[in-house]
PDB file of all heavy atoms in Angstrom:
ATOM      1  N   PRO A  27      53.101  10.307  79.435  1.00 96.00           N
ATOM      2  CA  PRO A  27      52.648   9.106  78.722  1.00 96.00           C
ATOM      3  C   PRO A  27      53.664   8.561  77.719  1.00 96.00           C
ATOM      4  O   PRO A  27      53.709   7.351  77.467  1.00 96.00           O
ATOM      5  CB  PRO A  27      51.368   9.575  78.021  1.00 96.00           C
ATOM      6  CG  PRO A  27      50.851  10.660  78.897  1.00 96.00           C
ATOM      7  CD  PRO A  27      52.068  11.364  79.418  1.00 96.00           C
ATOM      8  N   ASP A  34      50.267   5.524  78.315  1.00 97.00           N
ATOM      9  CA  ASP A  34      49.789   6.041  77.039  1.00 97.00           C
ATOM     10  C   ASP A  34      48.538   5.292  76.590  1.00 97.00           C
ATOM     11  O   ASP A  34      47.572   5.901  76.092  1.00 97.00           O
ATOM     12  CB  ASP A  34      50.893   5.900  75.985  1.00 97.00           C
ATOM     13  CG  ASP A  34      50.521   6.556  74.674  1.00 97.00           C
ATOM     14  OD1 ASP A  34      50.409   7.792  74.636  1.00 97.00           O
ATOM     15  OD2 ASP A  34      50.332   5.824  73.689  1.00 97.00           O
ATOM     16  N   GLY A  67      49.525  14.858  75.492  1.00 92.00           N
ATOM     17  CA  GLY A  67      50.514  15.893  75.757  1.00 92.00           C
ATOM     18  C   GLY A  67      50.669  16.220  77.222  1.00 92.00           C
ATOM     19  O   GLY A  67      51.743  16.594  77.676  1.00 92.00           O
ATOM     20  N   GLU A  96      49.749  35.757 108.322  1.00 59.00           N
ATOM     21  CA  GLU A  96      48.801  35.886 107.219  1.00 59.00           C
ATOM     22  C   GLU A  96      49.390  36.633 106.042  1.00 59.00           C
ATOM     23  O   GLU A  96      49.181  36.256 104.884  1.00 59.00           O
ATOM     24  CB  GLU A  96      47.537  36.600 107.723  1.00 59.00           C
ATOM     25  CG  GLU A  96      46.421  36.639 106.700  1.00 59.00           C
ATOM     26  CD  GLU A  96      45.144  37.197 107.297  1.00 59.00           C
ATOM     27  OE1 GLU A  96      45.152  37.565 108.482  1.00 59.00           O
ATOM     28  OE2 GLU A  96      44.157  37.252 106.560  1.00 59.00           O
ATOM     29  N   LEU A 107      50.926  33.350  91.680  1.00 86.00           N
ATOM     30  CA  LEU A 107      50.085  34.009  90.684  1.00 86.00           C
ATOM     31  C   LEU A 107      50.944  34.747  89.666  1.00 86.00           C
ATOM     32  O   LEU A 107      50.663  34.733  88.460  1.00 86.00           O
ATOM     33  CB  LEU A 107      49.130  34.987  91.371  1.00 86.00           C
ATOM     34  CG  LEU A 107      47.979  34.375  92.177  1.00 86.00           C
ATOM     35  CD1 LEU A 107      47.312  35.452  93.017  1.00 86.00           C
ATOM     36  CD2 LEU A 107      46.973  33.715  91.262  1.00 86.00           C
ATOM     37  N   ALA A 108      52.015  35.400  90.143  1.00 88.00           N
ATOM     38  CA  ALA A 108      52.895  36.140  89.241  1.00 88.00           C
ATOM     39  C   ALA A 108      53.614  35.205  88.272  1.00 88.00           C
ATOM     40  O   ALA A 108      53.774  35.528  87.087  1.00 88.00           O
ATOM     41  CB  ALA A 108      53.914  36.946  90.045  1.00 88.00           C
ATOM     42  N   VAL A 109      54.055  34.046  88.749  1.00 93.00           N
ATOM     43  CA  VAL A 109      54.695  33.068  87.855  1.00 93.00           C
ATOM     44  C   VAL A 109      53.737  32.695  86.735  1.00 93.00           C
ATOM     45  O   VAL A 109      54.104  32.668  85.549  1.00 93.00           O
ATOM     46  CB  VAL A 109      55.131  31.809  88.626  1.00 93.00           C
ATOM     47  CG1 VAL A 109      55.630  30.734  87.657  1.00 93.00           C
ATOM     48  CG2 VAL A 109      56.234  32.140  89.632  1.00 93.00           C
ATOM     49  N   PRO A 115      51.513  35.633  79.428  1.00 84.00           N
ATOM     50  CA  PRO A 115      51.119  37.034  79.599  1.00 84.00           C
ATOM     51  C   PRO A 115      50.016  37.517  78.673  1.00 84.00           C
ATOM     52  O   PRO A 115      49.480  38.593  78.896  1.00 84.00           O
ATOM     53  CB  PRO A 115      52.428  37.788  79.330  1.00 84.00           C
ATOM     54  CG  PRO A 115      53.194  36.893  78.415  1.00 84.00           C
ATOM     55  CD  PRO A 115      52.852  35.497  78.834  1.00 84.00           C
ATOM     56  N   ALA A 121      45.697  30.268  75.352  1.00 90.00           N
ATOM     57  CA  ALA A 121      44.797  29.459  74.522  1.00 90.00           C
ATOM     58  C   ALA A 121      45.543  28.545  73.559  1.00 90.00           C
ATOM     59  O   ALA A 121      44.983  27.558  73.086  1.00 90.00           O
ATOM     60  CB  ALA A 121      43.857  30.373  73.736  1.00 90.00           C
ATOM     61  N   ILE A 126      54.982  27.825  74.648  1.00 95.00           N
ATOM     62  CA  ILE A 126      55.872  27.497  75.768  1.00 95.00           C
ATOM     63  C   ILE A 126      56.364  28.803  76.378  1.00 95.00           C
ATOM     64  O   ILE A 126      57.040  29.592  75.714  1.00 95.00           O
ATOM     65  CB  ILE A 126      57.075  26.642  75.316  1.00 95.00           C
ATOM     66  CG1 ILE A 126      56.587  25.306  74.754  1.00 95.00           C
ATOM     67  CG2 ILE A 126      58.039  26.420  76.476  1.00 95.00           C
ATOM     68  CD1 ILE A 126      57.700  24.431  74.200  1.00 95.00           C
ATOM     69  N   ALA A 162      40.007  44.408 103.522  1.00 50.00           N
ATOM     70  CA  ALA A 162      40.802  44.566 102.300  1.00 50.00           C
ATOM     71  C   ALA A 162      40.941  43.224 101.595  1.00 50.00           C
ATOM     72  O   ALA A 162      40.947  42.176 102.236  1.00 50.00           O
ATOM     73  CB  ALA A 162      42.179  45.122 102.635  1.00 50.00           C
ATOM     74  N   MET A 194      62.369  33.184  98.054  1.00 86.00           N
ATOM     75  CA  MET A 194      60.972  32.755  98.015  1.00 86.00           C
ATOM     76  C   MET A 194      60.520  32.467  96.586  1.00 86.00           C
ATOM     77  O   MET A 194      59.806  31.491  96.337  1.00 86.00           O
ATOM     78  CB  MET A 194      60.088  33.824  98.659  1.00 86.00           C
ATOM     79  CG  MET A 194      60.345  34.014 100.151  1.00 86.00           C
ATOM     80  SD  MET A 194      59.410  35.386 100.875  1.00 86.00           S
ATOM     81  CE  MET A 194      57.765  34.683 100.930  1.00 86.00           C
ATOM     82  N   MET A 210      63.410  22.876  84.124  1.00 94.00           N
ATOM     83  CA  MET A 210      64.577  23.739  84.049  1.00 94.00           C
ATOM     84  C   MET A 210      65.246  23.581  82.696  1.00 94.00           C
ATOM     85  O   MET A 210      65.449  22.470  82.203  1.00 94.00           O
ATOM     86  CB  MET A 210      65.565  23.414  85.169  1.00 94.00           C
ATOM     87  CG  MET A 210      66.727  24.400  85.251  1.00 94.00           C
ATOM     88  SD  MET A 210      67.940  23.947  86.523  1.00 94.00           S
ATOM     89  CE  MET A 210      66.912  24.007  87.999  1.00 94.00           C
ATOM     90  N   GLU A 270      46.309  44.991  78.034  1.00 31.00           N
ATOM     91  CA  GLU A 270      45.017  44.417  78.388  1.00 31.00           C
ATOM     92  C   GLU A 270      45.158  43.224  79.323  1.00 31.00           C
ATOM     93  O   GLU A 270      44.726  42.119  79.017  1.00 31.00           O
ATOM     94  CB  GLU A 270      44.273  43.979  77.112  1.00 31.00           C
ATOM     95  CG  GLU A 270      44.004  45.112  76.142  1.00 31.00           C
ATOM     96  CD  GLU A 270      43.131  46.196  76.736  1.00 31.00           C
ATOM     97  OE1 GLU A 270      42.304  45.871  77.608  1.00 31.00           O
ATOM     98  OE2 GLU A 270      43.256  47.354  76.345  1.00 31.00           O
TER      99      GLU A 270
END
Side-chain angles (χ1 to χ4, degrees):
D34 186 67
E96 187 173 1
L107 288 168
V109 173
I126 298 176
M194 295 174 74
M210 187 183 299
E270 300 299 330

